[in-house]
Amino acid sequence: MPDVEPTLSVVIPMYNEEAVIPLLVARLRPALDRIGEDYEVVAVDDGSSDATAAVLAGQLRQWPQLRVIRLRRNSGHQSALTAGLYRARGSYVVSIDADLQDPPEVIEEMLNLARRDNLDIVYGVRNDRSTDSPFKRSTAGLYYWLMRRLAGKSVPRQAGDFRLLSRVSIEALRELPEPAPVYRLVVPWLGFPSGEVGFFREKRAAGSTKYPLSKMVRLTVDSVTSFSSAPLRLATWLGLVGVLTCLGLLVYSVAAQVAGHTVPGWTSMIVAVVFLGACQLLCLGLLGEYVARIYQAVQGRPAYFVASDSPDKKLSQPAQR
Ligand code: UDP
Ligand code: MG
């Protein structure tokens, strides 16, 4: 490990990626060596339960630039990313997925663009997702459409967590109070000069996705609630529509009473009760999501715990940010 700060850090969150690591190293190492700059690779083992730790330990002996941070338990992709970004020491930090869906050769292009145009952020943008399943493509399309509507047009389309950040932008991220922000929204929001590099999204090199539907839903809920209070306003609008409907119904029921035919009406009664009940539950649930965020913020627990970091082994304090 060089004593001087490296020019480039590459942060790779990994959760049960034993099958992918040898393939990743075989492509990433030559791609980074070719750049000809000092670099470090920060592999963040997100509490894997397979042989990821053992495979990484093996690689650690052969690759001096590799550093392994192990989290005590599975904390999720964004938290693992946070652990790596905040501990990386490079002047430029690139985050990349472990599964080779983001081609490592693009890192050089990102670095060159950042230096040439003096940019703080370079997004890797997927030009082509034909290798993803139709389900993944359509849900991802919906996600980016929603995010651009809620968080603004500065959120690039089809840019995941493959990006380059300058030291300055990482320091800006550290200033934020959130323990593990949704980076694909927070980074554009910082407003640093940014550029894009297009790439072809490849198939996962080995293993299976670590983003099941439940984690995708969680990321979407976190993304929406961390960037928009529009869902809360939904309750106000629904309430307004409800009041207007009730006013109409009031006039109608008084008129029906006067006209003397008040017995029928079971269906309308049931519809009104069921519909209003559903609206109330929906709004309560939305409110609950925000209350949960406040609750987590007040608790102030770190999003992850670092169990060990290879240069200064056996760290046992909570995560330092
Ligand atoms: N990942 C992680 N912790 C998790 C889930 C995923 O560190 O709890 C990592 C995973 O190892 C991979 C990256 O996040 O490097 C993206 O996951 P994946 O490729 O499975 O997602 P997909 O490409 O299917 O959206
Ligand atoms: Mg992937």
Side-chain angles (χ1 to χ4, degrees), residues 114-196:
R115 283 176 159 166
R116 195 194 70 200
D117 295 351
N118 217 359
L119 303 175
D120 282 292
I121 296 159
V122 179
Y123 302 103
V125 177
R126 300 151 187 170
N127 285 336
D128 182 336
R129 292 188 72 135
S130 54
T131 55
D132 278 332
S133 68
F135 176 73
K136 185 95 189 177
R137 256 181 292 158
S138 47
T139 49
L142 198 66
Y143 174 84
Y144 289 107
W145 173 82
L146 189 66
M147 290 313 125
R148 281 165 66 85
R149 290 216 54 177
L150 294 178
K153 292 280 185 284
S154 61
V155 177
R157 266 189 209 97
Q158 300 297 342
D161 284 304
F162 183 28
R163 74 174 82 75
L164 171 142
L165 296 168
S166 67
R167 176 88 348 239
V168 178
S169 57
I170 294 207
E171 293 311 320
L173 283 171
R174 262 175 196 271
E175 302 280 309
L176 299 178
E178 288 151 281
V182 179
Y183 286 104
R184 56 191 79 179
L185 303 181
V186 165
V187 169
W189 173 82
L190 290 175
F192 282 104
S194 64
E196 292 182 0

Side-chain angles (χ1 to χ4, degrees), residues 240-256:
L240 204 66
V241 172
V243 167
L244 291 177
T245 316
C246 283
L247 276 178
L249 279 174
L250 203 74
V251 174
Y252 168 75
S253 53
V254 170

Side-chain angles (χ1 to χ4, degrees), residues 13 15 17 46 98-99 101 136 201 204 209-210 215:
Y15 178 53
E17 300 286 11
D46 186 12
D99 58 0
Q101 287 200 287
K136 185 95 189 177
R201 185 162 160 95
R204 186 175 239 286
T209 177
K210 306 299 175 302
K215 280 191 184 172

